[in-house]
Amino acid sequence: MSRRVLDALKQQIPLLDYLQAQDWRPARRLSRDRWMGLCPLHADHQPSFLVDPCKNLFYCYGCGRGGDVIRFAELYHQVRFPQALALLQQWRGLPPLLRAAADFYRMQLHRHGEAVAYLYQRGVRSPEVLEHMRIGYAPGGCMRGWLTQLGFRVETLRQAGLVTNAGYDAYIHRIVVPLEANLYGRSLSAAAPAHRFLPGAKGGLYSWEQVRQSPEVILVEGLFDYAVLWQAGFHNVTCSMGNHLNVRQYRQLCDRPRTVYVAFDADKNGSGQQAAQSLARRLREQGIVVRRVSLPDGHDPNSFFVQQGDAQQFQTLLEAAQP
């Protein structure tokens, strides 16, 4: 990528806007419209992170790191230069495209009985949760034509990961759930990889803005775990999309005093509970109250509800949760 293109990219993505999209908040304003706040790159306890929006540069007096928006993306997401560029380009240009793709997938859901049957099998049945999560279905083979009719270039679809290099739809026979800057796809077929995301970061905790004010938060691994709990009336639930949280998700949980109920899978190999123990230890170090929810062996929240568990029984598990 040429220097001219790089400079244009940095001009199109104000550093302050990108920082705030990662939940960074300035603590105080300095002279010449500069801002100071806690450093998002290390465990900062007093504001040491300087942002100069006019120069589009940052510098941390605590960890000694600084640079432009590309350098910040490298450090924050812990990726190399090419991956940082891809993330920034996605953040800059993909939201309208992702919204259009998600809208298309939502239109397809009730046109394909196999998708509705799969959701029913997974316990996702109420129209309210389908609407809340904007759940859709990717049948494959027709999304590219729809988006190009809306004016999106095939090359843009390819860069986003929505179509393959050969020009075919990337998501085929998958339940699709839109995230803040990505799409999650769950395969209906056991022959394909179960989980798929577009290239780039999976983002923060799922639906975080709707629960961040809650004094008690239920954290689950998967989006189908989230769906059945939300459907059962537990609207203070969020999802990390895996049992290993990224830096942003961890910081979100620590942004204020709260109690976190960690309801990870009770895997037979113990991986879910090991991850829960490790996360609980880290959160307690930040002053967060943690309770680990013990599900029946071999179950996750989704299978608990699918196999006739109900809201009252899950509430009992919450009340019995141990530190």
Side-chain angles (χ1 to χ4, degrees):
M1 186 175 290
S2 69
R3 172 58 58 184
R4 180 179 60 81
V5 174
L6 288 175
D7 289 342
L9 176 65
K10 288 185 283 189
Q11 290 175 3
Q12 293 164 0
I13 303 179
L15 173 61
L16 185 58
D17 288 355
Y18 190 72
L19 287 167
Q20 292 175 330
Q22 314 309 316
D23 285 336
W24 183 79
R25 297 293 180 266
R28 65 177 184 271
R29 188 172 187 171
L30 306 178
S31 60
R32 299 194 300 275
D33 290 329
R34 298 175 300 166
W35 297 92
M36 187 72 80
L38 295 175
C39 180
L41 303 175
H42 75 284
D44 205 2
H45 300 292
Q46 60 182 6
S48 61
F49 188 79
L50 175 68
V51 179
D52 189 330
C54 295
K55 296 181 179 179
N56 229 21
L57 297 172
F58 73 93
Y59 181 77
C60 177
Y61 292 95
C63 63
R65 291 178 285 190
D68 56 24
V69 68
I70 300 175
R71 181 57 179 159
F72 176 80
E74 287 183 284
L75 295 170
Y76 184 78
H77 298 292
Q78 300 177 8
V79 297
R80 297 182 181 275
F81 185 79
Q83 288 75 37
L85 288 180
L87 287 172
L88 290 170
Q89 289 172 326
Q90 183 182 63
W91 184 83
R92 176 195 63 180
L94 289 190
L97 172 57
L98 292 188
R99 284 195 295 271
D103 288 344
F104 171 79
Y105 292 139
R106 290 178 71 194
M107 288 189 294
Q108 300 304 311
L109 180 62
H110 290 286
R111 299 176 181 177
H112 296 270
E114 69 273 18
V116 176
Y118 178 84
L119 289 173
Y120 192 87
Q121 173 191 344
R122 296 297 301 268
V124 183
R125 301 167 182 176
S126 76
E128 291 78 15
V129 75
L130 295 178
E131 180 65 26
H132 169 69
M133 297 181 68
R134 300 173 61 217
I135 294 174
Y137 178 61
C142 51
M143 190 270 301
R144 168 185 164 173
W146 173 269
L147 291 179
T148 54
Q149 286 182 359
L150 293 179
F152 294 102
R153 298 171 53 246
V154 173
E155 182 59 30
T156 303
L157 306 185
R158 187 177 292 115
Q159 290 175 354
L162 288 168
V163 302
T164 66
N165 288 333
Y168 298 108
D169 288 8
Y171 283 29
I172 300 175
H173 305 313
R174 288 181 182 272
I175 298 295
V176 178
V177 180
L179 310 177
E180 59 183 357
N182 210 311
L183 292 176
Y184 168 76
R186 179 59 165 89
S187 178
L188 271 60
S189 170
H195 311 287
R196 183 161 194 166
F197 296 88
L198 295 177
K202 63 183 178 182
L205 294 167
Y206 182 74
S207 199
W208 180 245
E209 288 302 318
Q210 299 189 34
V211 302
R212 66 181 304 177
Q213 303 293 337
S214 176
E216 296 183 344
V217 170
I218 303 168
L219 176 67
V220 297
E221 289 186 39
L223 286 167
F224 285 99
D225 300 326
Y226 175 98
V228 294
L229 279 173
W230 193 93
Q231 185 176 254
F234 296 95
H235 292 178
N236 60 329
V237 63
T238 187
C239 170
S240 52
M241 291 161 284
N243 58 31
H244 293 286
L245 277 66
N246 61 33
V247 173
R248 182 181 175 198
Q249 292 172 334
Y250 177 72
R251 289 187 178 125
Q252 286 174 322
L253 286 179
C254 298
D255 67 359
R256 68 186 62 203
R258 60 168 54 89
T259 298
V260 177
Y261 290 86
V262 182
F264 283 180
D265 302 357
D267 307 290
K268 293 182 179 179
N269 62 9
S271 60
Q273 293 310 300
Q274 290 173 8
Q277 291 174 3
S278 175
L279 175 61
R281 183 172 60 253
R282 293 173 59 206
L283 290 174
R284 290 191 192 102
E285 292 172 355
Q286 300 300 318
I288 302 299
V289 177
V290 184
R291 298 286 183 267
R292 289 183 290 118
V293 180
S294 295
L295 290 156
D297 289 344
H299 280 280
D300 55 30
N302 180 258
S303 64
F304 175 81
F305 277 90
V306 168
Q307 297 190 16
Q308 308 309 313
D310 58 28
Q312 184 175 354
Q313 292 171 333
F314 191 82
Q315 181 63 41
T316 300
L317 295 180
L318 292 178
E319 293 170 358
Q322 299 295 313

